[in-house]
Amino acid sequence: MLPRLSQIARHLSTPPLSSLRSPRGPSAIARMAPSGERNARMIHTAACLVIGDEVLGGKMEPVLTYRKTVDTNSAYMAKWCFSLGINLKRIEVIEDDEGEIVEAVRRLSGSYDFVVTSGGIGPTHDDITYQSIAKAFNLPLKLHEEALERMKRLSKPHPSQPTFSYDDAESPAVKAKLRMVELPTDDSRDLSAQCIFPHDELWVPVSVVNGNVHILPGVPRLFVTLLDGLKPHVLPRLVDPEGKGITRILISTPLAESEVAAYLTHLAAQVEPKGVKVGSYPRWGELRNTVTLVGRDEAFLESLVAEVETNVQGKRVATEGEDDVVVADKDA
């Protein structure tokens, strides 16, 4: 009897390490540099992999953290990369499925310099990120002793577990906690390069796998804190070591997009060799639209402003919508 199509599809959905293909041609894994080299080379590009059924199921809500509303961890990652001048090339959202995680993390690790994953590293059955990423790179999961000691010292017992003790090694609760400090480990590499503790007051580690995959929690407050804490580790490997990032200039225009399309097409072709991207964004329901100039050469961007303002009959603004006109209600 022929195997069921669903079984064949499941088999094909998780390609073996040797056959993984990059969208850009050769085997991504085959052309990977050694882990140690990836861990030290310059960072030009980045990718973010968000893992979790709750994200795809619509459970996640905007979270207020550090007095800012963060819609998603990937949105914060995008702003973080932009501020440092890192080109965030890809954001993916996948479910808590081992095959999906294995395929995605192999591919992203082979294609981008700096990869961050978000979610799936808690104590419950559906938190399978560590084990899946370990499988992706043929690594064992090993108890990280420093992470465990930090957990014991810095984590507070939950109100529902007033008598919790790490001494009871056979306790289901202890075993569940230990899952959060059992990390993918490459015995051929320096352990300190595989686990980073960005903040002294947090026990949560950032596990670094295959030299460029950084595993972060999905809880927005922790994600933001740990990602910010990685900045000192990233800065020396940036094209701009001062971390000045990318400049974005906003120009508000009263003209329709179709009216400025020809000029912006011409402008984009002219400035592309200088690494400048020209954007046009409609603002539905408003009288003014937005044109953007984005690039690393701030002086060159500034030299374009007057010309663009003239050609789109607009003016530079600091924030989108700041020059909107509020029309009073005639019946008021």
Side-chain angles (χ1 to χ4, degrees):
M1 180 181 294
L2 292 174
R4 291 186 302 171
L5 289 177
S6 61
Q7 292 175 323
I8 298 174
R10 179 176 294 276
H11 173 73
L12 294 178
S13 68
T14 310
L17 196 61
S18 59
S19 66
L20 183 65
R21 295 290 171 181
S22 162
R24 292 185 290 206
S27 166
I29 301 301
R31 60 184 173 81
M32 275 186 178
S35 298
E37 181 181 325
R38 279 194 305 280
N39 192 244
R41 70 187 180 189
M42 299 298 286
I43 296 174
H44 300 274
T45 61
C48 182
L49 180 64
V50 181
I51 303 167
D53 295 342
E54 69 277 12
V55 180
L56 293 170
K59 180 178 179 295
M60 300 300 290
E61 298 289 343
V63 176
L64 187 65
T65 175
Y66 295 102
R67 300 183 181 179
K68 293 182 179 180
T69 299
V70 179
D71 294 327
T72 64
N73 290 341
S74 60
Y76 190 84
M77 170 81 172
K79 294 176 183 177
W80 188 84
C81 287
F82 188 91
S83 71
L84 294 175
I86 300 171
N87 190 1
L88 180 61
K89 302 282 286 185
R90 194 170 191 87
I91 294 174
E92 293 189 21
V93 182
I94 61 175
E95 62 183 344
D96 292 302
D97 177 86
E98 184 178 90
E100 293 272 354
I101 297 171
V102 168
E103 186 280 327
V105 77
R106 285 176 178 173
R107 173 169 42 80
L108 296 178
S109 180
S111 298
Y112 305 105
D113 302 322
F114 184 79
V115 179
V116 167
T117 73
S118 165
I121 59 173
T124 58
H125 70 284
D126 57 345
D127 293 311
I128 60 172
T129 296
Y130 282 147
Q131 70 188 54
S132 300
I133 293 179
K135 182 175 182 178
F137 300 108
N138 300 319
L139 298 174
L141 286 175
K142 292 191 174 183
L143 182 68
H144 194 284
E145 295 293 346
E146 183 181 355
L148 175 58
E149 291 307 312
R150 290 172 66 96
M151 176 192 282
K152 291 178 178 179
R153 187 174 73 253
L154 297 173
S155 65
K156 298 179 181 179
H158 191 274
S160 66
Q161 298 174 308
T163 61
F164 176 84
S165 171
Y166 286 96
D167 295 333
D168 185 1
E170 296 304 313
S171 162
V174 171
K175 290 181 178 180
K177 280 185 175 290
L178 292 183
R179 293 186 71 227
M180 296 188 285
V181 288
E182 292 173 347
L183 311 181
T185 304
D186 184 346
D187 291 328
S188 68
R189 296 183 58 226
D190 181 2
L191 188 59
S192 65
Q194 301 181 62
C195 186
I196 301 172
F197 296 96
H199 286 278
D200 291 338
E201 68 274 18
L202 290 177
W203 67 263
V204 184
V206 175
S207 177
V208 184
V209 182
N210 208 42
N212 66 345
V213 177
H214 301 72
I215 307 175
L216 272 66
V219 178
R221 186 181 297 274
L222 289 176
F223 181 91
V224 168
T225 302
L226 293 175
L227 186 62
D228 285 345
L230 288 178
K231 186 175 179 180
H233 300 272
V234 169
L235 284 178
R237 299 166 56 199
L238 299 182
V239 176
D240 172 13
E242 295 182 6
K244 293 179 181 177
I246 302 171
T247 296
R248 179 188 284 120
I249 291 176
L250 308 178
I251 297 173
S252 175
T253 173
L255 302 181
E257 280 199 299
S258 57
E259 186 71 20
V260 299
Y263 166 69
L264 294 182
T265 299
H266 174 71
L267 176 65
Q270 279 191 318
V271 300
E272 183 180 12
K274 296 282 288 184
V276 175
K277 291 186 177 181
V278 178
S280 177
Y281 303 96
R283 300 180 60 238
W284 300 109
E286 302 293 345
L287 298 177
R288 306 183 73 86
N289 295 321
T290 303
V291 171
T292 64
L293 305 173
V294 179
R296 296 178 184 275
D297 189 337
E298 186 174 0
F300 180 67
L301 290 174
E302 292 290 348
S303 74
L304 299 172
V305 173
E307 174 200 330
V308 178
E309 286 179 326
T310 299
N311 282 278
V312 303
Q313 299 178 25
K315 67 175 183 177
R316 183 176 183 171
V317 293
T319 58
E320 198 171 47
E322 71 176 41
D323 60 339
D324 286 348
V325 176
V326 178
V327 180
D329 189 339
K330 294 180 180 180
D331 297 327

mmCIF file of all heavy atoms in Angstrom, residues 300-330:
data_model
loop_
_atom_site.group_PDB
_atom_site.id
_atom_site.type_symbol
_atom_site.label_atom_id
_atom_site.label_comp_id
_atom_site.label_asym_id
_atom_site.label_seq_id
_atom_site.Cartn_x
_atom_site.Cartn_y
_atom_site.Cartn_z
ATOM 1 N N PHE A 300 24.171 63.461 3.023
ATOM 2 C CA PHE A 300 23.588 63.356 1.683
ATOM 3 C C PHE A 300 22.063 63.427 1.751
ATOM 4 O O PHE A 300 21.419 64.081 0.921
ATOM 5 C CB PHE A 300 24.027 62.059 1.006
ATOM 6 C CG PHE A 300 23.472 61.871 -0.370
ATOM 7 C CD1 PHE A 300 23.866 62.698 -1.411
ATOM 8 C CD2 PHE A 300 22.542 60.874 -0.633
ATOM 9 C CE1 PHE A 300 23.347 62.540 -2.693
ATOM 10 C CE2 PHE A 300 22.016 60.705 -1.900
ATOM 11 C CZ PHE A 300 22.421 61.541 -2.936
ATOM 12 N N LEU A 301 21.469 62.769 2.729
ATOM 13 C CA LEU A 301 20.016 62.831 2.890
ATOM 14 C C LEU A 301 19.553 64.268 3.100
ATOM 15 O O LEU A 301 18.562 64.715 2.515
ATOM 16 C CB LEU A 301 19.578 61.958 4.063
ATOM 17 C CG LEU A 301 19.687 60.445 3.896
ATOM 18 C CD1 LEU A 301 19.363 59.743 5.203
ATOM 19 C CD2 LEU A 301 18.754 59.949 2.801
ATOM 20 N N GLU A 302 20.282 64.992 3.951
ATOM 21 C CA GLU A 302 19.909 66.381 4.222
ATOM 22 C C GLU A 302 19.983 67.224 2.950
ATOM 23 O O GLU A 302 19.192 68.140 2.751
ATOM 24 C CB GLU A 302 20.827 66.969 5.295
ATOM 25 C CG GLU A 302 20.658 66.369 6.683
ATOM 26 C CD GLU A 302 19.336 66.755 7.337
ATOM 27 O OE1 GLU A 302 18.641 67.664 6.811
ATOM 28 O OE2 GLU A 302 18.993 66.143 8.365
ATOM 29 N N SER A 303 20.926 66.914 2.067
ATOM 30 C CA SER A 303 21.078 67.688 0.834
ATOM 31 C C SER A 303 19.908 67.494 -0.126
ATOM 32 O O SER A 303 19.720 68.283 -1.052
ATOM 33 C CB SER A 303 22.387 67.308 0.134
ATOM 34 O OG SER A 303 22.290 66.025 -0.482
ATOM 35 N N LEU A 304 19.103 66.452 0.087
ATOM 36 C CA LEU A 304 17.977 66.157 -0.795
ATOM 37 C C LEU A 304 16.676 66.820 -0.352
ATOM 38 O O LEU A 304 15.740 66.930 -1.140
ATOM 39 C CB LEU A 304 17.749 64.644 -0.867
ATOM 40 C CG LEU A 304 18.887 63.774 -1.416
ATOM 41 C CD1 LEU A 304 18.536 62.304 -1.217
ATOM 42 C CD2 LEU A 304 19.129 64.070 -2.888
ATOM 43 N N VAL A 305 16.622 67.236 0.906
ATOM 44 C CA VAL A 305 15.351 67.664 1.499
ATOM 45 C C VAL A 305 14.691 68.799 0.727
ATOM 46 O O VAL A 305 13.504 68.732 0.380
ATOM 47 C CB VAL A 305 15.540 68.050 2.975
ATOM 48 C CG1 VAL A 305 14.257 68.661 3.536
ATOM 49 C CG2 VAL A 305 15.943 66.835 3.800
ATOM 50 N N ALA A 306 15.415 69.870 0.441
ATOM 51 C CA ALA A 306 14.822 71.043 -0.215
ATOM 52 C C ALA A 306 14.244 70.666 -1.578
ATOM 53 O O ALA A 306 13.137 71.092 -1.943
ATOM 54 C CB ALA A 306 15.862 72.148 -0.361
ATOM 55 N N GLU A 307 14.990 69.854 -2.334
ATOM 56 C CA GLU A 307 14.511 69.445 -3.660
ATOM 57 C C GLU A 307 13.220 68.632 -3.555
ATOM 58 O O GLU A 307 12.267 68.849 -4.309
ATOM 59 C CB GLU A 307 15.578 68.600 -4.360
ATOM 60 C CG GLU A 307 15.117 68.015 -5.687
ATOM 61 C CD GLU A 307 15.944 66.838 -6.144
ATOM 62 O OE1 GLU A 307 17.135 66.777 -5.819
ATOM 63 O OE2 GLU A 307 15.375 65.955 -6.829
ATOM 64 N N VAL A 308 13.201 67.695 -2.617
ATOM 65 C CA VAL A 308 12.017 66.853 -2.471
ATOM 66 C C VAL A 308 10.825 67.682 -2.005
ATOM 67 O O VAL A 308 9.709 67.523 -2.513
ATOM 68 C CB VAL A 308 12.296 65.693 -1.494
ATOM 69 C CG1 VAL A 308 11.038 64.848 -1.297
ATOM 70 C CG2 VAL A 308 13.430 64.813 -2.004
ATOM 71 N N GLU A 309 11.043 68.561 -1.046
ATOM 72 C CA GLU A 309 9.956 69.427 -0.583
ATOM 73 C C GLU A 309 9.339 70.190 -1.752
ATOM 74 O O GLU A 309 8.110 70.303 -1.864
ATOM 75 C CB GLU A 309 10.475 70.408 0.474
ATOM 76 C CG GLU A 309 10.739 69.782 1.828
ATOM 77 C CD GLU A 309 11.264 70.795 2.832
ATOM 78 O OE1 GLU A 309 11.996 71.722 2.412
ATOM 79 O OE2 GLU A 309 10.936 70.668 4.027
ATOM 80 N N THR A 310 10.176 70.726 -2.623
ATOM 81 C CA THR A 310 9.681 71.498 -3.772
ATOM 82 C C THR A 310 8.885 70.622 -4.724
ATOM 83 O O THR A 310 7.789 70.997 -5.166
ATOM 84 C CB THR A 310 10.866 72.140 -4.523
ATOM 85 O OG1 THR A 310 11.546 73.029 -3.647
ATOM 86 C CG2 THR A 310 10.378 72.898 -5.757
ATOM 87 N N ASN A 311 9.400 69.454 -5.015
ATOM 88 C CA ASN A 311 8.770 68.605 -6.028
ATOM 89 C C ASN A 311 7.502 67.918 -5.553
ATOM 90 O O ASN A 311 6.685 67.492 -6.389
ATOM 91 C CB ASN A 311 9.776 67.570 -6.537
ATOM 92 C CG ASN A 311 10.749 68.149 -7.529
ATOM 93 O OD1 ASN A 311 10.447 68.270 -8.724
ATOM 94 N ND2 ASN A 311 11.922 68.553 -7.059
ATOM 95 N N VAL A 312 7.335 67.781 -4.250
ATOM 96 C CA VAL A 312 6.091 67.175 -3.747
ATOM 97 C C VAL A 312 5.215 68.208 -3.050
ATOM 98 O O VAL A 312 4.215 67.862 -2.424
ATOM 99 C CB VAL A 312 6.389 65.993 -2.786
ATOM 100 C CG1 VAL A 312 7.244 64.947 -3.471
ATOM 101 C CG2 VAL A 312 7.028 66.457 -1.487
ATOM 102 N N GLN A 313 5.629 69.479 -3.168
ATOM 103 C CA GLN A 313 4.877 70.589 -2.556
ATOM 104 C C GLN A 313 4.639 70.341 -1.061
ATOM 105 O O GLN A 313 3.554 70.613 -0.537
ATOM 106 C CB GLN A 313 3.540 70.804 -3.278
ATOM 107 C CG GLN A 313 3.697 71.169 -4.759
ATOM 108 C CD GLN A 313 2.376 71.322 -5.471
ATOM 109 O OE1 GLN A 313 1.353 71.613 -4.849
ATOM 110 N NE2 GLN A 313 2.369 71.116 -6.788
ATOM 111 N N GLY A 314 5.650 69.806 -0.418
ATOM 112 C CA GLY A 314 5.485 69.430 0.985
ATOM 113 C C GLY A 314 6.467 70.107 1.902
ATOM 114 O O GLY A 314 7.166 71.052 1.524
ATOM 115 N N LYS A 315 6.533 69.591 3.119
ATOM 116 C CA LYS A 315 7.479 70.116 4.096
ATOM 117 C C LYS A 315 7.922 68.993 5.030
ATOM 118 O O LYS A 315 7.199 68.026 5.269
ATOM 119 C CB LYS A 315 6.877 71.259 4.898
ATOM 120 C CG LYS A 315 5.736 70.861 5.824
ATOM 121 C CD LYS A 315 5.294 72.057 6.655
ATOM 122 C CE LYS A 315 4.206 71.668 7.655
ATOM 123 N NZ LYS A 315 3.812 72.814 8.514
ATOM 124 N N ARG A 316 9.117 69.167 5.533
ATOM 125 C CA ARG A 316 9.676 68.169 6.432
ATOM 126 C C ARG A 316 8.954 68.198 7.772
ATOM 127 O O ARG A 316 8.613 69.272 8.290
ATOM 128 C CB ARG A 316 11.163 68.450 6.642
ATOM 129 C CG ARG A 316 11.863 67.432 7.511
ATOM 130 C CD ARG A 316 13.333 67.729 7.572
ATOM 131 N NE ARG A 316 14.086 66.751 8.330
ATOM 132 C CZ ARG A 316 15.398 66.691 8.389
ATOM 133 N NH1 ARG A 316 16.125 67.596 7.711
ATOM 134 N NH2 ARG A 316 16.015 65.770 9.091
ATOM 135 N N VAL A 317 8.731 67.013 8.342
ATOM 136 C CA VAL A 317 8.100 66.910 9.656
ATOM 137 C C VAL A 317 8.926 65.950 10.511
ATOM 138 O O VAL A 317 9.660 65.104 9.998
ATOM 139 C CB VAL A 317 6.640 66.401 9.559
ATOM 140 C CG1 VAL A 317 5.754 67.424 8.870
ATOM 141 C CG2 VAL A 317 6.574 65.052 8.825
ATOM 142 N N ALA A 318 8.800 66.115 11.807
ATOM 143 C CA ALA A 318 9.519 65.241 12.728
ATOM 144 C C ALA A 318 8.765 63.941 12.959
ATOM 145 O O ALA A 318 9.359 62.867 13.102
ATOM 146 C CB ALA A 318 9.759 65.951 14.053
ATOM 147 N N THR A 319 7.427 64.038 12.996
ATOM 148 C CA THR A 319 6.590 62.857 13.187
ATOM 149 C C THR A 319 5.421 62.907 12.214
ATOM 150 O O THR A 319 4.907 63.973 11.891
ATOM 151 C CB THR A 319 6.037 62.781 14.621
ATOM 152 O OG1 THR A 319 5.282 63.957 14.906
ATOM 153 C CG2 THR A 319 7.160 62.640 15.633
ATOM 154 N N GLU A 320 5.024 61.751 11.764
ATOM 155 C CA GLU A 320 3.933 61.673 10.800
ATOM 156 C C GLU A 320 2.646 62.211 11.409
ATOM 157 O O GLU A 320 2.267 61.859 12.533
ATOM 158 C CB GLU A 320 3.736 60.220 10.364
ATOM 159 C CG GLU A 320 2.950 60.052 9.095
ATOM 160 C CD GLU A 320 2.966 58.621 8.589
ATOM 161 O OE1 GLU A 320 2.744 57.712 9.417
ATOM 162 O OE2 GLU A 320 3.203 58.410 7.397
ATOM 163 N N GLY A 321 1.973 63.109 10.681
ATOM 164 C CA GLY A 321 0.695 63.644 11.124
ATOM 165 C C GLY A 321 0.777 64.904 11.941
ATOM 166 O O GLY A 321 -0.255 65.467 12.329
ATOM 167 N N GLU A 322 1.991 65.398 12.213
ATOM 168 C CA GLU A 322 2.101 66.575 13.087
ATOM 169 C C GLU A 322 1.520 67.833 12.445
ATOM 170 O O GLU A 322 1.169 68.790 13.141
ATOM 171 C CB GLU A 322 3.557 66.828 13.464
ATOM 172 C CG GLU A 322 4.431 67.334 12.341
ATOM 173 C CD GLU A 322 5.848 67.656 12.807
ATOM 174 O OE1 GLU A 322 6.397 66.882 13.613
ATOM 175 O OE2 GLU A 322 6.384 68.671 12.364
ATOM 176 N N ASP A 323 1.399 67.854 11.098
ATOM 177 C CA ASP A 323 0.868 69.033 10.411
ATOM 178 C C ASP A 323 -0.565 68.818 9.920
ATOM 179 O O ASP A 323 -1.061 69.565 9.089
ATOM 180 C CB ASP A 323 1.770 69.423 9.237
ATOM 181 C CG ASP A 323 1.892 68.302 8.214
ATOM 182 O OD1 ASP A 323 1.639 67.130 8.572
ATOM 183 O OD2 ASP A 323 2.241 68.594 7.059
ATOM 184 N N ASP A 324 -1.224 67.772 10.431
ATOM 185 C CA ASP A 324 -2.617 67.555 10.040
ATOM 186 C C ASP A 324 -3.478 68.724 10.499
ATOM 187 O O ASP A 324 -3.286 69.272 11.593
ATOM 188 C CB ASP A 324 -3.161 66.256 10.666
ATOM 189 C CG ASP A 324 -2.608 65.017 9.974
ATOM 190 O OD1 ASP A 324 -2.011 65.162 8.893
ATOM 191 O OD2 ASP A 324 -2.754 63.917 10.535
ATOM 192 N N VAL A 325 -4.452 69.068 9.667
ATOM 193 C CA VAL A 325 -5.358 70.157 10.000
ATOM 194 C C VAL A 325 -6.653 69.553 10.541
ATOM 195 O O VAL A 325 -7.264 68.689 9.913
ATOM 196 C CB VAL A 325 -5.670 71.020 8.750
ATOM 197 C CG1 VAL A 325 -6.695 72.084 9.090
ATOM 198 C CG2 VAL A 325 -4.383 71.633 8.219
ATOM 199 N N VAL A 326 -7.043 70.003 11.717
ATOM 200 C CA VAL A 326 -8.270 69.534 12.330
ATOM 201 C C VAL A 326 -9.404 70.465 11.900
ATOM 202 O O VAL A 326 -9.366 71.673 12.156
ATOM 203 C CB VAL A 326 -8.178 69.507 13.868
ATOM 204 C CG1 VAL A 326 -9.500 69.060 14.468
ATOM 205 C CG2 VAL A 326 -7.045 68.595 14.294
ATOM 206 N N VAL A 327 -10.379 69.897 11.197
ATOM 207 C CA VAL A 327 -11.507 70.711 10.734
ATOM 208 C C VAL A 327 -12.583 70.724 11.791
ATOM 209 O O VAL A 327 -13.082 69.675 12.206
ATOM 210 C CB VAL A 327 -12.060 70.128 9.409
ATOM 211 C CG1 VAL A 327 -13.240 70.963 8.926
ATOM 212 C CG2 VAL A 327 -10.963 70.062 8.362
ATOM 213 N N ALA A 328 -12.947 71.914 12.239
ATOM 214 C CA ALA A 328 -13.948 72.055 13.295
ATOM 215 C C ALA A 328 -15.334 71.664 12.793
ATOM 216 O O ALA A 328 -15.690 71.903 11.630
ATOM 217 C CB ALA A 328 -13.958 73.491 13.802
ATOM 218 N N ASP A 329 -16.130 71.090 13.666
ATOM 219 C CA ASP A 329 -17.506 70.716 13.337
ATOM 220 C C ASP A 329 -18.332 71.991 13.212
ATOM 221 O O ASP A 329 -18.433 72.782 14.150
ATOM 222 C CB ASP A 329 -18.058 69.818 14.439
ATOM 223 C CG ASP A 329 -19.405 69.211 14.068
ATOM 224 O OD1 ASP A 329 -20.081 69.772 13.182
ATOM 225 O OD2 ASP A 329 -19.770 68.193 14.661
ATOM 226 N N LYS A 330 -18.930 72.216 12.030
ATOM 227 C CA LYS A 330 -19.693 73.448 11.801
ATOM 228 C C LYS A 330 -20.877 73.573 12.756
ATOM 229 O O LYS A 330 -21.350 74.695 13.031
ATOM 230 C CB LYS A 330 -20.192 73.481 10.357
ATOM 231 C CG LYS A 330 -19.052 73.595 9.337
ATOM 232 C CD LYS A 330 -19.623 73.617 7.921
ATOM 233 C CE LYS A 330 -18.484 73.725 6.899
ATOM 234 N NZ LYS A 330 -19.003 73.738 5.509
#
